[in-house]
Amino acid sequence: MSNDELAQIVDTSDEWIYSHTGIRYRHIADQGVAASDLAVEAARAALQGAGVEAGQIDLILLATSTPDYPGLPATACIVQDRLEAVNAAAMDLVAACTGFVYGLQTARAFIESGSADTVLLIGSEVYSQIINWKDRNSCVLFGDGAGAAVIAAGQTAAGSRIIDGALYSRGQGAEALARLTGGSRNPLAADQPTTPGCYLSMDGRRVYNFAVAAIVETIQTLLQRNGLSFDDIDWVVPHQANVRIIDAAARRAGFDPARFYTNIAEYANTSAASIPIALDEMSRNGAIARGQTVITVGFGSGLTYGGNLIVW
Ligand code: ACO
């Protein structure tokens, strides 16, 4: 869906959206397509790419804030069944746009502790079903998508590994980016299926300020903790929320913005799916090579933020 198509639904324009966010397009799932449907497709592609059979998976982690069902069952279990991953435990991970970053660190912990050998991590989101299409402040920002990765114990020739991860939460900002109705705090009345609180609500300015600081802190922490300088990093793969957030963070910390990968123009903000979609795209278009050092950095509802230091 282009910005021009969106401008036929709400009072906005391609010029405003592009100049304020860097977004040109977003992909919208067909009606009836849920997070598990996109997740299964991404998972199958990742398993095939890794040469791993579904039966080898010990744990499925599904990062999503748009699950098939509210609360239960875990969408990861629906994916487990569809993949016939008969030996896998399955659980959802709710850290919004930081979900993939939280998931990589969780996968690393399971593998390093010996609790799992092979983890399937998926970020899958269908925000088109939870955004208020009448609210131009938020509906222009999001898109649907999924990405997946297989993380396994063992050695590769390029020395691929997850070196470190830094995870943070700032719950005092819980309502800055939230879906307030439908949980146990504000249960949905049976005769009120579409109160405004059913949809995502956002304090855009507050999220913006938080996000810029979160990117800088995360990258600096991962560099310092591992005795690295920014010159040692080949790529930063940030959560794709807004190019202005990414540029402002790079400027504030004096990091070369050219080393921050962005593809938000095509996909908008796909929340937990944005980092794996970017990594997959980079791998396919040759931007990233085996053995390169990458920092991922995510930030989002919770508020949550964090990053991973990886050798690709
Ligand atoms: N089209 C046209 N005008 C718009 C639109 C739109 N889509 N949206 C807002 N405006 C208007 C506002 O009404 C306002 O008009 P006013 O001054 O007459 O009141 C004006 O544009 C400026 O609004 P601001 O909010 O100041 O615009 P800003 O430059 O801050 O950009 C934005 C808004 C893009 C939302 C920015 O604040 C931002 O990127 N925030 C972070 C949001 C984000 O990334 N959220 C997701 C985080 S990740 C997750 O966990 C889901």
Side-chain angles (χ1 to χ4, degrees):
M1 179 190 277
S2 67
N3 290 344
D4 287 334
E5 287 174 77
L6 205 44
Q8 293 168 14
I9 305 174
V10 283
D11 180 15
T12 189
S13 64
D14 176 52
E15 196 282 325
W16 193 96
I17 299 171
Y18 188 69
S19 63
H20 285 75
T21 68
I23 297 165
R24 290 262 192 227
Y25 300 93
R26 70 283 299 138
H27 294 231
I28 305 295
D30 288 338
Q31 280 297 325
V33 171
S36 67
D37 300 313
L38 298 185
V40 166
E41 282 192 49
R44 287 199 173 120
L47 289 168
Q48 192 181 22
V52 168
E53 300 292 331
Q56 292 172 256
I57 304 166
D58 300 311
L59 174 64
I60 298 173
L61 287 173
L62 177 55
T64 186
S65 24
T66 52
D68 285 21
Y69 305 105
L72 69 170
T75 304
C77 291
I78 296 162
V79 173
Q80 178 273 328
D81 178 51
R82 301 249 313 265
L83 293 177
E84 299 182 45
V86 291
N87 298 310
M91 62 180 174
D92 289 357
L93 198 162
V94 186
C97 304
T98 322
F100 195 81
V101 164
Y102 266 61
L104 269 187
Q105 179 70 345
T106 307
R108 173 183 175 222
F110 265 83
I111 290 172
E112 287 188 353
S113 69
S115 302
D117 277 337
T118 305
V119 179
L120 172 65
L121 170 62
I122 312 163
S124 183
E125 302 283 15
V126 186
Y127 266 65
S128 60
Q129 293 295 340
I130 68 156
I131 51 181
N132 180 352
W133 287 98
K134 293 183 177 147
D135 175 18
R136 69 175 183 176
N137 292 297
S138 60
C139 76
V140 303
L141 301 175
F142 295 95
D144 300 333
V150 177
I151 302 105
Q155 309 281 329
T156 71
S160 305
R161 66 196 186 282
I162 303 168
I163 300 172
D164 196 5
L167 307 181
Y168 307 91
S169 63
R170 296 286 180 269
Q172 65 269 35
E175 295 198 353
L177 197 48
R179 197 179 174 196
L180 294 170
T181 304
S184 54
R185 176 66 61 199
N186 303 306
L188 194 59
D191 58 347
Q192 266 190 318
T194 53
T195 63
C198 293
Y199 299 115
L200 176 140
S201 65
M202 184 185 74
D203 178 343
R205 189 39 58 184
R206 188 167 172 197
V207 175
Y208 185 100
N209 293 336
F210 149 76
V212 173
I215 294 173
V216 173
E217 182 187 345
T218 301
I219 296 173
Q220 286 176 339
T221 300
L222 286 171
L223 292 176
Q224 276 162 16
R225 245 176 23 197
N226 292 280
L228 299 172
S229 77
F230 193 73
D231 287 341
D232 297 313
I233 305 303
D234 296 294
W235 281 110
V236 175
V237 183
H239 167 52
Q240 309 283 314
N242 185 332
V243 278
R244 291 201 314 176
I245 291 175
I246 297 166
D247 286 345
R251 265 202 318 278
R252 185 181 293 183
F255 297 146
D256 176 7
R259 265 185 278 157
F260 287 68
Y261 190 83
T262 58
N263 63 2
I264 189 173
E266 173 65 26
Y267 305 106
N269 178 347
T270 58
S271 194
S274 80
I275 290 174
I277 288 174
L279 286 168
D280 182 56
E281 189 175 273
M282 294 168 78
S283 161
R284 287 172 198 273
N285 68 18
I288 192 171
R290 289 279 166 217
Q292 286 194 321
T293 305
V294 178
I295 286 180
T296 62
V297 50
F299 46 89
S301 171
L303 298 166
T304 54
Y305 62 107
N308 316 102
L309 176 64
I310 302 167
V311 176
W312 181 250

